[in-house]
Amino acid sequence: MKVKDKKTFYITTPIYYPSDKLHIGHSYTTVAADAMARFKRLTGYDVMFLTGTDEHGQKIERVAKEKGVSPKEYVDHIVAGIKELWKTLDISYDHFIRTTDPEHKETVQKIFKKLYDQGDIYKSEYEGWYCTPCESFWTEVQLNEGKCPDCNREVELVKEESYFFKLSKYQDRLIKYIEEHEEFIQPPSRKNEMLNNFLRPGLEDLCVSRTSFKWGIPVTFDDDHVIYVWIDALSNYISALGYLSNKDEKFKKYWPADVHLVGKEIVRFHTIIWPIMLMALGEELPKQVFGHGWLILEGGKMSKSKGNVVDPLILEKRYGSDALRYFLLREVPFGSDGVFSNEALVNRINSDLANDLGNLLSRTVAMIDKYFDGTIPSCAELEDVDKELMDMALATPNKVEELMNQLLFSNALAEIWKLIGRTNKYIDETMPWILAKSEEQKPRLGTVLYNLAESLRFISVLISPFMPSAPDRIRQQLGIDNFDDLKSWDSLGEFGKIPAGTKVQRGNPIFPRLDVEKELEDLEKTLPTESQKEDKSKESSKEKEGDQKKDTEEKAEITIDDFAKLDLRVARVMAAEKVEKSDRLLKLQLKVGDETRQVVSGIAEHYSAEELVGKDLILVANLKPVKLRGNLSQGMILAASNEDGKLSLVTVDKEIEPGSTVS
Ligand code: MSP
């Protein structure tokens, strides 16, 4: 009999730059990809989950030189540490690719040659700027006060003979593709950003080789050149599947990828350069590129150079991989930025894991122990309250699946926690300790305890993609860890599968309650969370340009105290003018009480300088001042915007003195 082919699912993380300190922000993408890979395996897919390291480029060559080792020695050492981190966080990747793997190098060389042979790559001369930390090319106009517009660091003037890739030739095809494939770039706000900021203004051909350093994949037909790292790196998604080799079964099986998970700052490479490479190669495009937000600390995005990195190894050691993974995926809606804080972590562990889940298990097992001598009783006649619990348990898997298919990890977990909450409420409603007082009520008590155990079995399966070891610890206490058929997704089609008579095994709390104060004190000593050094590193171009376009994605909940941190004021525009060499920026002089403030705002495409004068706007007055294109900006004015790129300034509806507070 021919076994029916399984459905396939191919998911990737970005490949990481070898860095001796991967922080919790890096772990975020990989944990999310892992949860998704585990979920798909659980629901019957043949999964290919790829991660790895991006090891070439000028940056690595320089660091290795500084350390007095060869680039290969340097990366070998670091990659071992990265693999160790993924092991600690229970990352179940199917393949770990290194761009120094010989098979990868060969594929990249073949890709380059193919594009050259067909005329999509040509030789010319490059003169422009290069940001080594970002490995990005910039034109003079794109620079921000002579610095990299992405990370604000120094750029270098590069003038060398180079190969170029004809991005411009494919631009219209790509625009059409993106417009016709809603799901290709997610969340939708990132799609608009790519179309409006990069594609529609027009693409320049991309410089795709370098001659001024050696640590890269050589161009086979021109020894002096090494291939641009992003061409090298992006190719990993297909070289790992044996593309253009004689072992390309995996490519045939898994390509196109179902989803590339990437951080928002590298969406540009994945939705412009990568699809154009694939178009030129005549291959299908990935079904989706999902640009998730950043985990940030108060000082901005975590980065080693800012000294504000949170070490996942320290947290894992204290709280375990389950708790850390749960926190990362529950706390922040996946498309949005989210603030990491020790307090939020410890509180979530206490409330969601120790209280809601841990206590539910301990109470259930303790009651089975006490009232039925440790044996799961059988279920007798059902009452409405039992049916309600069962119906909810049976409905939860589909809801979770729907949310997971949209990468809504936090919402999927919230759905599971609704079932946990319902089960806890079921204990309050049925009051087993009262039932236990009368012998007559024994069958009813048995039914209640059986349903509690079965509900916990459902929960153990549902949480398994997110928390790799808690499910087995739950099953051990329920005495069902040897029953494989009770662990599958399909087993959630029926409520009542645990055999009555199973022996439970009381154990320690699966998530011990933490002493919040003590934890915060200890963590404070090891993990910085505030007053970070001046940002010298990657910041979003949004922050850089004073762009007030709001993300339309769901944001994390805030308290009234969070809101009270904002100093919002009415500000009257006294004068306005365009910022030189910028199509988007206007420089405004605002009257705020007795003070005059200068604010630079990215609204020039929506308002002329003249029409703004005299308007009363709303200013975020206590925003840290920044310099935009050399102009001091002391705050930010508020505006509404929608997905079509429309923008409207927020104003007051009656005359009121400038400087009045807004709350
Ligand atoms: N090497 C490139 C990717 C090439 S993919 C063909 C790269 N590497 S990286 O190590 O700098 O970043 C890897 C991933 O980690 C990116 O998706 C990035 O967005 C993510 N993160 C790094 N810091 C982060 C946070 N603070 N928060 C969330 N994700 C972050 O870019």
Side-chain angles (χ1 to χ4, degrees):
M1 192 180 81
K2 190 171 178 285
V3 180
K4 196 167 162 274
D5 279 342
K6 271 190 176 179
K7 303 165 281 184
T8 61
F9 187 79
Y10 181 24
I11 183 164
T12 67
T13 70
I15 46 173
Y16 291 80
Y17 291 129
S19 147
D20 46 11
K21 195 114 239 82
L22 284 199
H23 54 66
I24 193 106
H26 294 117
S27 314
Y28 182 58
T29 324
T30 314
V31 163
D34 184 68
M36 195 62 194
R38 285 175 186 267
F39 181 76
K40 286 291 174 183
R41 288 188 200 112
L42 182 66
T43 49
Y45 286 76
D46 171 344
V47 172
M48 171 70 184
F49 168 23
L50 178 71
T51 189
T53 39
D54 183 1
E55 303 183 13
H56 291 122
Q58 199 165 355
K59 184 167 53 180
I60 307 274
E61 189 180 81
R62 277 191 195 157
V63 179
K65 203 167 169 199
E66 277 162 28
K67 296 193 185 283
V69 291
S70 72
K72 185 68 170 61
E73 280 167 338
Y74 171 68
V75 292
D76 280 352
H77 168 70
I78 303 242
V79 168
I82 294 179
K83 285 189 172 168
E84 208 41 52
L85 171 64
W86 296 155
K87 202 166 147 200
T88 313
L89 294 180
D90 295 306
I91 305 301
S92 62
Y93 56 78
D94 296 292
H95 185 57
F96 188 103
I97 188 164
R98 299 183 54 179
T99 54
T100 48
D101 290 339
E103 300 80 7
H104 168 79
K105 284 175 154 171
E106 214 172 288
T107 301
V108 173
Q109 287 176 324
K110 285 183 185 160
I111 290 175
F112 198 92
K113 176 82 166 49
K114 186 165 188 243
L115 298 178
Y116 177 74
D117 287 345
Q118 70 191 39
D120 281 327
I121 284 182
Y122 61 94
K123 199 173 195 174
S124 180
E125 175 150 289
Y126 179 76
E127 183 168 0
W129 299 91
Y130 194 72
C131 172
T132 306
C134 292
E135 304 282 13
S136 286
F137 295 99
W138 299 107
T139 60
E140 180 85 35
V141 203
Q142 287 172 319
L143 296 182
N144 182 17
E145 289 183 15
K147 299 215 172 119
C148 170
D150 261 3
C151 74
N152 210 27
R153 283 180 274 204
E154 296 297 331
V155 286
E156 296 163 50
L157 186 62
V158 174
K159 185 173 180 199
E160 57 192 44
E161 181 191 76
S162 292
Y163 286 92
F164 282 80
F165 179 36
K166 285 187 183 164
L167 291 189
S168 52
K169 174 175 155 190
Y170 293 91
Q171 169 185 313
D172 293 343
R173 243 176 90 183
L174 181 58
I175 293 178
K176 189 160 179 280
Y177 185 90
I178 294 175
E179 284 171 344
E180 285 172 0
H181 294 81
E182 272 300 311
E183 69 301 339
F184 178 54
I185 308 179
Q186 286 294 327
S189 55
R190 312 239 187 267
K191 171 181 121 184
N192 297 332
E193 191 185 335
M194 291 304 121
L195 285 171
N196 298 337
N197 298 0
F198 297 101
L199 280 160
R200 292 197 180 115
L203 293 177
E204 283 182 19
D205 289 349
L206 177 73
C207 175
V208 287
S209 76
R210 304 288 310 274
T211 52
S212 52
F213 67 96
K214 283 277 159 242
W215 182 237
I217 301 180
V219 173
T220 44
F221 48 91
D222 199 342
D223 279 356
D224 293 338
H225 292 253
V226 292
I227 296 170
Y228 174 44
V229 275
W230 272 99
I231 298 288
D232 168 352
L234 289 162
S235 306
N236 92 88
Y237 300 129
I238 51 178
S239 71
L241 304 179
Y243 183 61
L244 294 184
S245 79
N246 53 12
K247 283 199 248 148
D248 65 352
E249 304 77 22
K250 285 195 177 143
F251 180 76
K252 289 189 183 124
K253 184 172 178 188
Y254 294 112
W255 192 256
D258 290 270
V259 59
H260 293 314
L261 288 190
V262 301
K264 62 182 184 180
E265 84 285 12
I266 56 171
V267 168
R268 183 162 66 95
F269 298 95
H270 284 81
T271 58
I272 297 178
I273 302 177
W274 180 225
I276 291 185
M277 281 171 71
L278 290 162
M279 279 178 174
L281 291 167
E283 302 300 346
E284 282 182 76
L285 304 199
K287 292 182 201 156
Q288 185 168 99
V289 175
F290 192 102
H292 65 73
W294 287 340
L295 267 194
I296 49 181
L297 292 182
E298 262 177 40
K301 190 190 175 201
M302 260 173 243
S303 88
K304 216 174 86 182
S305 56
K306 276 200 248 174
N308 66 348
V309 294
V310 173
D311 187 342
L313 287 173
I314 296 180
L315 294 178
E316 193 282 331
K317 211 162 169 209
R318 275 187 100 82
Y319 308 118
S321 139
D322 279 352
L324 188 53
R325 291 169 57 115
Y326 173 77
F327 174 77
L328 288 175
L329 297 174
R330 177 70 180 94
E331 187 69 10
V332 186
F334 198 53
S336 323
D337 287 346
V339 178
F340 177 91
S341 82
N342 296 336
E343 201 174 347
L345 170 68
V346 174
N347 283 335
R348 274 240 180 251
I349 294 178
N350 268 353
S351 71
D352 300 7
L353 300 182
N355 273 3
D356 297 348
L357 177 57
N359 275 349
L360 175 62
L361 177 68
S362 306
R363 290 170 84 191
T364 302
V365 176
M367 289 192 284
I368 294 174
D369 218 22
K370 184 165 170 197
Y371 304 134
F372 288 91
D373 219 6
T375 303
I376 298 182
S378 55
C379 185
E381 213 173 304
L382 296 178
E383 295 185 1
D384 282 353
V385 65
D386 310 324
K387 286 188 195 136
E388 216 184 281
L389 176 69
M390 280 175 157
D391 286 348
M392 185 162 184
L394 287 165
T396 304
N398 277 345
K399 289 186 185 161
V400 168
E401 183 158 23
E402 221 170 87
L403 294 163
M404 286 299 278
N405 284 339
Q406 299 167 69
L407 297 161
L408 295 171
F409 300 102
S410 177
N411 306 50
L413 281 166
E415 208 53 53
I416 301 171
W417 253 253
K418 273 191 207 159
L419 176 61
I420 295 175
R422 182 66 194 86
T423 314
N424 274 315
K425 191 167 158 226
Y426 177 80
I427 301 183
D428 299 340
E429 289 167 341
T430 54
M431 295 188 282
W433 52 93
I434 306 280
L435 297 174
K437 290 192 175 146
S438 122
E439 195 50 36
E440 232 174 74
Q441 294 284 11
K442 197 102 195 212
R444 177 70 198 135
L445 177 62
T447 303
V448 166
L449 294 185
Y450 182 89
N451 288 339
L452 285 173
E454 182 65 357
S455 187
L456 273 160
R457 177 182 80 81
F458 265 64
I459 292 159
S460 74
V461 178
L462 290 164
I463 62 171
S464 62
F466 306 93
M467 293 192 256
S469 64
D472 272 340
R473 291 191 291 141
I474 295 175
R475 290 171 193 139
Q476 272 157 17
Q477 298 209 16
L478 292 174
I480 56 168
D481 51 324
N482 289 329
F483 301 126
D484 283 345
D485 56 330
L486 300 188
K487 301 177 184 176
S488 70
W489 189 255
D490 287 348
S491 75
L492 304 187
E494 189 185 330
F495 192 96
K497 279 179 97 69
I498 297 185
T502 304
K503 274 269 177 211
V504 297
Q505 272 184 357
R506 261 180 109 161
N508 292 329
I510 53 167
F511 294 105
R513 222 189 135 68
L514 304 169
D515 173 341
V516 181
E517 259 174 43
K518 179 178 177 308
E519 290 305 318
L520 293 183
E521 227 171 73
D522 287 359
L523 286 174
E524 202 59 35
K525 290 178 203 146
T526 48
L527 303 168
T529 55
E530 47 193 307
S531 59
Q532 310 303 341
K533 289 181 211 155
E534 185 59 10
D535 186 6
K536 293 253 184 295
S537 163
K538 281 189 189 178
E539 258 183 5
S540 69
S541 49
K542 191 191 280 179
E543 285 162 350
K544 212 55 65 51
E545 292 271 320
D547 188 343
Q548 286 142 35
K549 179 166 60 80
K550 297 279 177 297
D551 279 342
T552 47
E553 311 118 32
E554 193 188 335
K555 298 237 160 72
E557 192 171 76
I558 61 165
T559 64
I560 190 75
D561 295 339
D562 293 327
F563 180 74
K565 288 183 188 157
L566 293 176
D567 183 10
L568 300 176
R569 299 298 179 109
V570 175
R572 182 161 301 157
V573 184
M574 308 305 288
E577 62 177 304
K578 283 200 81 166
V579 168
E580 244 180 69
K581 285 202 208 152
S582 169
D583 295 335
R584 302 197 318 112
L585 299 180
L586 282 181
K587 188 159 68 179
L588 314 176
Q589 306 303 327
L590 303 174
K591 180 172 163 51
V592 188
D594 294 328
E595 208 191 326
T596 301
R597 292 273 191 112
Q598 173 169 294
V599 167
V600 179
S601 176
I603 54 170
E605 287 158 333
H606 307 272
Y607 290 89
S608 68
E610 297 72 29
E611 71 181 303
L612 286 176
V613 177
K615 272 195 195 297
D616 284 342
L617 305 177
I618 306 299
L619 173 76
V620 184
N622 59 341
L623 195 70
K624 190 174 165 192
V626 285
K627 269 200 167 176
L628 301 169
R629 303 261 158 140
N631 298 284
L632 184 66
S633 182
Q634 304 162 290
M636 178 176 94
I637 52 167
L638 298 186
S641 61
N642 71 5
E643 301 249 313
D644 303 332
K646 257 201 196 152
L647 183 142
S648 172
L649 285 167
V650 179
T651 178
V652 283
D653 81 343
K654 275 199 198 105
E655 173 77 36
I656 191 163
E657 303 77 47
S660 304
T661 52
V662 179
S663 55

